[in-house]
Amino acid sequence: MAYNNMAEQKQNITHVSIPYTLYGLLHYLLLFDDDIVFNHTHYFLTDTSNAKIREALHATYFQSSFGTDLRSRIKRKIVKIKYVLSRRKYPFLKTAAIFANGSVSSLWIGNRSYSLLADAPDSLTHNMNEDSLEWKRQQLKWNKLSGKIEALIYGKPMLLYLGNNNQCTDIYLTEENFSPVLKGKRVHVESLESLWNKASEQKKDFILQLFDINEETKKILSSKPLWFFTQPFTTDAKMTDEEYALLLQKIIDKYGESNLLIKLHPRDKFNYKQFFPNITIFDKRVNMQLLILAHLLPQKAVAICTGAIDCLPETVELDWLGAGVHDKVLSFFGDSIYPHRKYQLVKL
């Protein structure tokens, strides 16, 4: 797949892609034709992606993950201001059509209108209804003076993200969602499978190479019948490594180390090998949805409360553990997230 060099590309930018999640990146790559995706799009990618992906797409990298200690919080504020001040380095941000998800995308969106990419399957249904914790967190921060100041500096989508603002004009989804944020927006719905089937063979090959889906991948994934789908609980739910390790040990004890493969969430940075040196880990940064398109599936999936498993076909059994497995997980995610497909509720 040929690219123009960066100097030529920057003069020709008609689209900007700022996907916080790899799901959003995959969605964008499939939404548009090869010429736009490869020759007329500038990508801003966070540490959710890896260096190989960023290099292949000639992307601008910006840091989005920081620690929770005082020094890290101060660094986060300094880095965010630095990115805002550097917007002038990218004049196409003033004119190009912007496609984004995630609050940190606001660092590049500013006060411009933009289109929302899918964050994950059923993301708006799960997170953007008035009884959801994510909605309540947004409203709580928005109603504070500090939130208003933050919006002035970075842009409204920094606080009211996932399309919950008047700058978002269009919402692109991979399945029907239900949420108040859809009202007044132009909503476009098409499944990843449909988009994949329409893609050129050249683009499909590029995407599989981009996300490292090769013979080694197939060998690792086919080695175990059960896949446990992780989530970044030490980051999102603020679990300590020790708390999370104890939870994992219960899961491993239930299913057996020899049967289980741990499929890492793209944002999960927990050191599994440190605590479980003999467990099989699949740590390539790739969405489950793309593995399905590549016909790579487990016999049984085990999950706590991730929406990633909704895309699995009914031929794959699902054991659902639920957010109640730990008080911190329950506090962060609430008790309303359940699969939209057949599953078996399992107690540890």
Side-chain angles (χ1 to χ4, degrees):
M1 181 65 65
Y3 287 88
N4 293 329
N5 66 48
M6 285 304 294
E8 291 174 350
Q9 192 184 20
K10 287 186 179 181
Q11 294 170 11
N12 255 324
I13 294 301
T14 58
H15 290 62
V16 169
S17 179
I18 321 171
Y20 179 61
T21 63
L22 292 183
Y23 189 90
L25 176 59
L26 175 62
H27 191 202
Y28 181 83
L29 292 173
L30 292 173
L31 271 176
F32 297 101
D33 65 39
D34 292 19
D35 188 41
I36 289 176
V37 164
F38 296 117
N39 298 319
H40 300 290
T41 298
H42 189 89
Y43 297 86
F44 290 89
L45 300 180
T46 71
D47 28 30
T48 302
S49 64
N50 59 33
K52 177 191 171 185
I53 290 173
R54 296 192 291 268
E55 182 180 352
L57 293 171
H58 299 299
T60 295
Y61 165 74
F62 67 108
Q63 186 177 0
S64 63
S65 297
F66 299 86
T68 57
D69 59 286
L70 179 60
R71 173 179 285 186
S72 296
R73 293 201 304 269
I74 292 172
K75 180 183 177 182
R76 181 173 63 239
K77 291 186 182 299
I78 292 172
V79 168
K80 284 163 67 175
I81 291 289
K82 173 186 170 184
Y83 290 141
V84 169
L85 294 177
S86 69
R87 284 177 192 161
R88 63 181 180 273
K89 290 172 53 179
Y90 308 98
F92 49 79
L93 285 173
K94 297 178 180 178
T95 56
I98 298 176
F99 296 80
N101 59 27
S103 62
V104 292
S105 300
S106 183
L107 297 171
W108 308 108
I109 295 171
N111 294 316
R112 286 211 51 216
S113 61
Y114 71 101
S115 297
L116 184 74
L117 293 168
D119 184 73
D122 296 303
S123 177
L124 299 185
T125 300
H126 287 317
N127 299 305
M128 296 309 295
N129 279 287
E130 293 181 6
D131 60 345
S132 68
L133 291 180
E134 191 64 64
W135 176 283
K136 292 173 182 176
R137 275 192 284 267
Q138 287 190 24
Q139 298 305 315
L140 180 64
K141 195 168 184 181
W142 176 252
N143 289 321
K144 292 180 178 180
L145 177 60
S146 59
K148 304 289 187 185
I149 293 172
E150 200 170 351
L152 283 174
I153 296 172
Y154 305 120
K156 191 181 293 185
M158 178 63 75
L159 289 98
L160 301 177
Y161 41 93
L162 289 177
N164 191 19
N165 59 76
N166 57 10
Q167 290 175 230
C168 178
T169 61
D170 292 70
I171 294 179
Y172 288 80
L173 300 170
T174 51
E175 63 288 304
E176 293 285 353
N177 276 235
F178 304 94
S179 167
V181 305
L182 298 172
K183 186 177 181 180
K185 308 287 199 299
R186 292 184 291 268
V187 180
H188 316 262
V189 182
E190 187 170 3
S191 69
L192 284 182
E193 182 180 14
S194 173
L195 293 168
W196 180 261
N197 290 336
K198 292 178 181 178
S200 68
E201 291 303 314
Q202 188 179 29
K203 183 189 283 186
K204 289 178 184 177
D205 289 343
F206 176 84
I207 289 173
L208 292 174
Q209 291 176 35
L210 184 71
F211 290 98
D212 238 4
I213 298 179
N214 50 33
E215 290 305 314
E216 178 194 5
T217 301
K218 296 174 183 177
K219 183 177 179 181
I220 294 171
L221 293 176
S222 63
S223 68
K224 303 292 178 181
L226 309 179
W227 297 2
F228 170 63
F229 289 75
T230 80
Q231 293 167 260
F233 290 133
T234 56
T235 303
D236 292 353
K238 302 298 186 288
M239 293 180 75
T240 66
D241 285 354
E242 290 71 24
E243 288 172 334
Y244 186 41
L246 285 172
L247 174 59
L248 286 168
Q249 188 62 61
K250 292 180 182 179
I251 296 170
I252 293 170
D253 288 345
K254 183 171 185 62
Y255 292 98
E257 191 175 90
S258 62
N259 297 318
L260 202 61
L261 175 143
I262 294 183
K263 183 203 177 290
L264 264 59
H265 185 284
R267 291 194 292 112
D268 190 352
K269 296 182 179 179
F270 180 78
N271 190 341
Y272 290 86
K273 283 298 184 183
Q274 176 185 339
F275 290 89
F276 307 100
N278 298 319
I279 202 75
T280 301
I281 305 289
F282 181 72
D283 58 1
K284 291 187 177 183
R285 298 202 176 189
V286 56
N287 299 105
M288 187 62 227
Q289 293 77 13
L290 184 54
L291 294 180
I292 292 171
L293 293 173
H295 306 294
L296 297 170
L297 294 167
Q299 293 177 26
K300 176 184 281 189
V302 180
I304 293 177
C305 58
T306 176
I309 46 73
D310 275 333
C311 63
L312 290 170
E314 295 290 344
T315 53
V316 177
E317 295 180 60
L318 171 61
D319 279 4
W320 184 259
L321 306 180
V325 293
H326 195 279
D327 289 345
K328 288 185 178 179
V329 177
L330 185 61
S331 176
F332 185 82
F333 289 96
D335 60 0
S336 62
I337 299 178
Y338 285 92
H340 292 169
R341 48 147 290 158
K342 183 172 65 178
Y343 66 95
Q344 178 179 346
L345 186 61
V346 174
K347 299 289 186 182
L348 291 177

